[in-house]
Amino acid sequence: MQKKNKTSRHLVLYTLVIIVIFAALFVLNQSGSKKGSDNQALSESPVISGQPIAGKQDAKVSIVEFGDYKCPSCKAWGEQVWPQLKRDYVDTGVASFAYVNTLFHGDESRLAAQASETVYLYKPERFWDFHKALFDEQPQANHDERWVTESKVLEVAQAFIPDLDQETFREELSSTLIQAKLEQDQLLVNQFNIQQTPTIMINNRLIANPFDYESIRKAIEQEAE
Ligand code: CA
């Protein structure tokens, strides 16, 4: 009887030890994966001259979005994160915000980007209205369906530039100047090895989760110090 009790006590003890070891391993694993998702500090910040910039141009903190008009997450980011970010840090002069075209979805990404660069060239003051309106045109249900067409980008541009000359705009879309603008963006995409859209950089910090406002807020506060 005595022996049996001793054995079962040992058994309970061993089980507890095993549970504790598994719990410790689990905690270690969790903190490891959390650490892995942390923002990454790169050696440089993107140079944003020549890009559309919202807010105070020479702000100490520079936020850059690598985005694609064909990307549903970019549309979602513009709706869910950007309004608060703009209110808290761009409108208040703490940070500037630049948008870099990242062509991950073929011809339609390219055409949308060409249109945005053309609008920026003609009427830089209407760029952000056009930018938002073009994302608004992205279908909610099936973003893979073809929606970026020459007549669509022209229609959206004309809504903000009533005196737009359609013929000139069409020609400009594929001009060498606009191609050069897209190449400039592509160089940044390559330089920072951008793998997904949207990618958000705050100075030289690459934000691990662009939808984590708390993480963005912390990075901005640290850079603004
Ligand atoms: Ca650009």
Side-chain angles (χ1 to χ4, degrees):
M1 197 67 189
Q2 187 72 19
K3 200 180 174 199
K4 198 182 171 200
N5 271 346
K6 208 175 170 187
T7 309
S8 55
R9 268 209 306 276
H10 276 151
L11 204 65
V12 167
L13 196 68
Y14 288 143
T15 310
L16 274 175
V17 166
I18 287 167
I19 288 172
V20 167
I21 288 172
F22 271 100
L25 282 174
F26 179 75
V27 167
L28 274 174
N29 188 42
Q30 285 298 99
S31 65
S33 62
K34 201 178 166 201
K35 206 170 182 186
S37 74
D38 274 351
N39 300 334
Q40 205 184 335
L42 305 179
S43 56
E44 288 170 285
S45 309
V47 173
I48 53 168
S49 58
Q51 303 294 349
I53 301 169
K56 200 170 142 208
Q57 308 273 312
D58 60 346
K60 196 175 171 189
V61 182
S62 159
I63 307 169
V64 176
E65 177 189 359
F66 289 87
D68 183 338
Y69 293 101
K70 269 292 278 186
C71 139
S73 297
C74 299
K75 178 185 169 82
W77 190 87
E79 290 167 358
Q80 295 165 22
V81 182
W82 167 242
Q84 190 181 358
L85 185 64
K86 180 176 183 291
R87 218 169 31 242
D88 291 350
Y89 296 108
V90 179
D91 292 347
T92 53
V94 175
S96 65
F97 176 81
Y99 180 82
V100 175
N101 284 300
T102 311
L103 313 182
F104 282 174
H105 292 87
D107 291 347
E108 285 180 88
S109 295
R110 174 167 287 273
L111 178 58
Q114 286 169 324
S116 81
E117 296 287 359
T118 306
V119 167
Y120 181 60
L121 190 71
Y122 273 96
K123 288 265 182 210
E125 69 274 20
R126 301 318 304 271
F127 174 82
W128 296 105
D129 292 326
F130 173 84
H131 176 81
K132 183 185 180 301
L134 197 53
F135 272 119
D136 288 345
E137 291 289 335
Q138 188 189 108
Q140 290 283 7
N142 179 14
H143 60 269
D144 281 334
E145 87 183 42
R146 190 166 186 83
W147 64 275
V148 184
T149 60
E150 213 171 89
S151 58
K152 175 54 76 183
V153 296
L154 202 69
E155 176 197 311
V156 178
Q158 200 137 42
F160 299 104
I161 314 171
D163 60 346
L164 181 81
D165 184 284
Q166 292 201 12
E167 202 49 48
T168 314
F169 188 84
R170 275 182 209 276
E171 282 169 15
E172 199 60 69
L173 283 176
S174 51
S175 69
T176 50
L177 182 59
I178 296 302
Q179 297 306 327
K181 288 283 203 180
L182 293 189
E183 278 162 29
Q184 188 187 356
D185 288 14
Q186 186 61 47
L187 286 176
L188 288 172
V189 171
N190 296 346
Q191 183 187 353
F192 293 94
N193 191 26
I194 302 304
Q195 299 290 327
Q196 60 180 33
T197 51
T199 287
I200 301 297
M201 283 192 70
I202 292 167
N203 288 353
N204 67 328
R205 295 167 195 247
L206 203 136
I207 301 300
N209 176 4
F211 288 89
D212 182 354
Y213 193 75
E214 190 51 25
S215 162
I216 291 176
R217 191 191 64 73
K218 270 191 201 150
I220 294 174
E221 302 282 348
Q222 283 166 349
E223 291 297 321
E225 270 174 12

